[in-house]
Amino acid sequence: MAAEHRTLRFESMVEAMAEVERLAAAEVKTTGQFSLGQILEHLARTLEIVLGKRELPKVALPMRFFARLMRSSVLRKASTGFKLPDAAQSVLWPTEPVSTEEGLARIRAAYEAFQACGTFPKHPFFGDMTKEQNHALQCRHFEGHLGFVHPIN
């Protein structure tokens, strides 16, 4: 059975971070397998990868080729349920519990660095991307993961 997921749409990273802050300040439940703190840690780690501050294991050529074919689709619509190779999964997702406060501190720091970045290094999956494409990719990524976080009235 698929986990319950909210449909979100962010037009900017400012909007995405506003949702992060709103969720971190609220009582929430998550659907899927990760806590809010773990999701925020994951989003911070992916921003660090985009900035070249954290490395992924070498991405196989067929996966890079396929990712580049799918790039325009990925930039338009958030998707969930993509299974990463184990080596990448261990870099991108924490295996230990992460409190909301810890995750929030990490995503805030990564977001500040992301916003300050003028030129992004080549993306490990999607190759050369403009600043606008990097921002769109992160908006879709935040939509996908924050959709598993549900505020409790």
Side-chain angles (χ1 to χ4, degrees), residues 41 43-55 106 110:
E41 173 69 23
L43 294 172
R45 289 179 183 191
T46 58
L47 289 178
E48 291 168 355
I49 287 168
V50 167
L51 292 166
K53 295 182 177 195
R54 179 183 289 260
E55 288 192 29
R106 293 268 295 120

Side-chain angles (χ1 to χ4, degrees), residues 12-152:
S12 70
M13 285 298 292
V14 171
E15 289 179 15
M17 279 303 294
E19 181 68 358
V20 164
E21 296 287 348
R22 184 179 82 81
L23 293 171
E27 184 178 350
V28 299
K29 70 173 184 163
T30 58
T31 51
Q33 59 191 33
F34 297 103
S35 70
L36 176 56
Q38 288 171 313
I39 290 169
L40 298 179
E41 173 69 23
H42 166 72
L43 294 172
R45 289 179 183 191
T46 58
L47 289 178
E48 291 168 355
I49 287 168
V50 167
L51 292 166
K53 295 182 177 195
R54 179 183 289 260
E55 288 192 29
L56 277 176
K58 185 73 174 156
V59 178
L61 182 61
M63 183 174 260
R64 288 193 319 262
F65 179 75
F66 178 71
R68 289 169 190 174
L69 287 177
M70 298 299 297
R71 182 171 62 189
S72 63
S73 173
V74 170
L75 294 178
R76 285 192 310 272
K77 184 177 185 302
S79 62
T80 61
F82 180 75
K83 177 67 174 135
L84 295 168
D86 289 341
Q89 184 81 6
S90 67
V91 170
L92 291 170
W93 282 100
T95 56
E96 67 286 344
V98 177
S99 72
T100 298
E101 295 76 22
E102 291 169 317
L104 184 58
R106 293 268 295 120
I107 192 63
R108 283 175 175 161
Y111 168 74
E112 290 300 322
F114 182 80
Q115 288 295 87
C117 186
T119 304
F120 291 90
K122 184 179 279 196
H123 191 280
F125 287 107
F126 299 111
D128 290 323
M129 294 175 57
T130 66
K131 185 172 186 168
E132 292 75 21
Q133 288 172 322
N134 271 291
H135 279 253
L137 177 63
Q138 294 311 312
C139 284
R140 304 299 79 80
H141 192 226
F142 276 55
E143 291 163 4
H145 290 297
L146 295 178
F148 290 110
V149 184
H150 306 269
I152 299 172

